[in-house]
Structures are given as structure tokens and as C-alpha cells.
Amino acid sequence: QVQLVESGGGLVQAGGSLRLSCAASGRTFSTYGMGWFRQAPGKEREFVARISWSGGSTYYADSVKGRFTISRDNAKNTVYLQMNSLKPEDTAVYYCAADLGVGGSPTEPTKYDYWGQGTQVTVSS
């Protein structure tokens, strides 16, 4: 079992920055990969970024590449999403997710085993 709690969302103007955090508990944090997804009203949940168990490998959606950075601190059992140059189209509920398995596409929500409750990010124009 893994429990995930996101924080750090809020309202920001276009061009601004936010840093999301996701605190994990339960299974040893340094043994599984983590991802961030987002879901805007009326849209499907979409992949944002992923980081390997060690932090040595990261992967981003094209829409956020160069603006967002995913990182993790295994000593603090926390994964982060630094979001810079935010745009109104980044407005969504952001979720962190834990991937305890092997195989499958890292960009698909079905690959992930545990999810946080989500945190709202709103970017005003």
C-alpha cells in the first residue's frame, strides 16, 4: 500500500511559477517510479511527467517540456513538480501517482497503482 498526498497548488498569473509536492508513505519510496498527471474539466487525464525510482531518468509530455521539472527526494519520500512559465492551458487538477509494476507505457494512467487526491492549479491570463 502507498498513500500519496499532493500540495502546492493555487492560483497564479500566466508566466508565473508553482511547485507541487507529493508526499508518499507506506511502501519504501525509493523502490518505485512516480508520475504526475493532470485533468482539466471535461477532458481526460493526461500525462505530464515521470521520474524513475532513483531520479536518474525523467520523461515529459511535449506540452510541458522545457517549462516543468520533475524531481524527487528519497530521503523525504517526496516527489516535486516545478512549473515555470505557466500558461492558462496548464489549468487543471494535478495528481501524483506511484508505479510499482514493470512494463507498460509510463504515459498511461493505467500503469500506475496508487493516486493522490489531486491539487488544483489555476493559471489566469
Side-chain angles (χ1 to χ4, degrees):
Q1 286 275 2
V2 174
Q3 295 78 42
L4 302 171
V5 179
E6 301 100 335
S7 60
L11 173 64
V12 64
Q13 289 188 334
S17 299
L18 282 175
R19 188 175 82 154
L20 305 184
S21 299
C22 172
S25 60
R27 187 163 169 171
T28 304
F29 184 64
S30 60
T31 62
Y32 52 87
M34 292 292 296
W36 284 96
F37 288 76
R38 64 187 182 187
Q39 188 166 18
K43 295 188 176 181
E44 293 187 351
R45 192 166 297 191
E46 67 169 353
F47 169 77
V48 175
R50 174 187 171 84
I51 189 165
S52 62
W53 63 271
S54 66
S57 175
T58 58
Y59 184 70
Y60 297 91
D62 288 343
S63 59
V64 307
K65 201 172 295 182
R67 300 188 298 123
F68 291 11
T69 302
I70 189 171
S71 62
R72 66 190 295 161
D73 185 338
N74 286 345
K76 296 183 177 179
N77 291 351
T78 302
V79 63
Y80 304 98
L81 186 67
Q82 177 67 44
M83 305 186 295
N84 298 330
S85 302
L86 282 161
K87 305 174 182 180
E89 51 263 45
D90 294 318
T91 295
V93 176
Y94 283 71
Y95 299 89
C96 65
D99 171 21
L100 275 64
V102 295
S105 170
T107 64
E108 292 296 326
T110 53
K111 176 166 173 57
Y112 294 80
D113 304 285
Y114 297 94
W115 293 81
Q117 82 289 350
T119 186
Q120 176 70 46
V121 172
T122 303
V123 184
S124 63
S125 57

